[in-house]
């Protein structure tokens, strides 16, 4: 963890902030037991996530990709939000303007009560038809392989933004608006390696926000932030609200 004075400064900034934007990544859910992609436990049958979470992998072998998602569904289904998710959910009530941007697909922010959020990489409990594009919720664990659309019998895929795919236009717009209008931006548990989310900290900073990073380690974006606290999200994030 950083020095006590850094924590005090961030608590003070938060206490007077009116518009807050939070960006979260896999690190906030690591404390709930969901492995990050780059940490230990991110491998499945020796495949890296980057080799499975792509449109090419799904075209080549949809069965393999769905088997991987079944493994992830099974894992995530047993996980609960931790104190960091809960503190972020409380921030929604605390500030005049608030928006949460998450790269996580596990749905734990919703489970914790967050409603003002963009799940910019999608949600593992949603599926999309590759033919008619219809999106539906599906919480089956395991999901039947191969899953088919009840409307048109097309092949269903996870409603997740894969490596090499673009984010939804409206999510990008909502995120940009939130970042540009915030006076404080918290970046929690993200490596800062996956774009465009990796650029969100600098967008907020250029717009004049005080940018804070909370991460177990230093990251690619640590150099540009105004304050950084190193440690576990579940220990640090709840402290931020104690002014
Ligand atoms: P990442 O795996 O690249 O990085 C995780 C970051 O969290 C690292 O910087 C690490 O130092 C930090 N971290 C680990 N444990 C922490 C803790 N307890 N407290 C605070 N920080 C901690 O993840 P990313 O940057 O979010 O991006 C990778 C991509 O992987 C994203 O696109 C995301 O959609 C996807 N992903 C999602 C989940 C999920 O939904 N839970 C899990 C793995 C990967
Ligand atoms: Zn369909």
């Amino acid at each position: 963890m950083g020095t006590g004075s850094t924590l005090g400064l961030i608590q003070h900034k938060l206490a007077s902030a009116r518009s807050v934007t939070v960006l979260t990544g896999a690190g906030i859910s690591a404390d709930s037991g969901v492995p990050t992609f780059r940490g230990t436990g991110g491998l499945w049958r020796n495949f890296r996530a980057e080799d499975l979470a792509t449109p090419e992998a799904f075209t080549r072998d949809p069965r393999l990709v769905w088997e991987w998602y079944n493994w992830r569904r099974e894992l995530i289904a047993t996980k609960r939000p931790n104190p960091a998710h809960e503190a972020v959910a409380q921030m929604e009530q605390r500030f005049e303007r608030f928006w949460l941007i998450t790269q996580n697909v596990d749905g734990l922010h919703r489970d914790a009560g967050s409603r003002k959020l963009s799940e910019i990489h999608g949600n593992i409990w949603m599926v999309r038809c590759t033919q008619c594009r219809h999106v539906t919720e599906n919480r089956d664990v395991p999901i039947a392989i191969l899953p088919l659309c009840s409307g048109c019998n097309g092949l269903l895929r996870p409603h997740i933004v894969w490596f090499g795919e673009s984010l939804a236009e409206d999510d990008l717009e909502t995120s940009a608006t939130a970042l540009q209008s915030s006076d404080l931006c918290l970046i929690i548990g993200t490596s800062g390696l996956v774009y465009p989310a990796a650029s969100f900290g600098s967008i907020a900073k250029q717009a004049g926000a005080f940018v804070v990073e909370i991460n177990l380690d230093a990251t690619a974006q640590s150099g540009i932030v105004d304050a950084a606290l190193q440690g576990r999200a579940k220990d640090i994030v709840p402290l931020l609200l104690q002014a």
Side-chain angles (χ1 to χ4, degrees), residues 24-31 34-39 72 76 103-107 121 161 163 188-194 214-219 231-234:
T24 65
I28 195 170
S29 293
D31 282 336
V34 182
T36 62
F37 277 173
R38 290 168 185 82
R72 296 199 71 211
I76 290 168
Q103 299 169 86
N104 296 342
V105 301
D106 53 40
H121 290 168
V161 179
F163 292 103
I188 308 170
T190 178
S191 59
L193 294 173
V194 179
I214 292 133
N215 199 297
L216 216 44
D217 297 309
T219 72
R232 294 191 172 281
K234 76 167 166 54

Side-chain angles (χ1 to χ4, degrees), residues 129 131-134 149 151-154:
C129 178
Q131 299 302 312
C132 72
R133 317 255 161 222
H134 190 60
C149 174
C152 77
N153 223 36

Side-chain angles (χ1 to χ4, degrees), residues 84-119:
H85 294 105
E86 282 156 13
V88 171
Q90 281 172 26
M91 290 179 195
E92 222 171 81
Q93 322 295 331
R94 186 78 66 109
F95 302 104
E96 229 171 273
R97 298 184 63 182
F98 178 86
W99 200 253
L100 166 63
I101 305 167
T102 187
Q103 299 169 86
N104 296 342
V105 301
D106 53 40
L108 291 179
H109 280 298
R110 275 184 203 279
D111 292 346
S114 283
R115 292 297 175 266
K116 294 182 177 177
L117 80 167
S118 300
E119 294 173 304

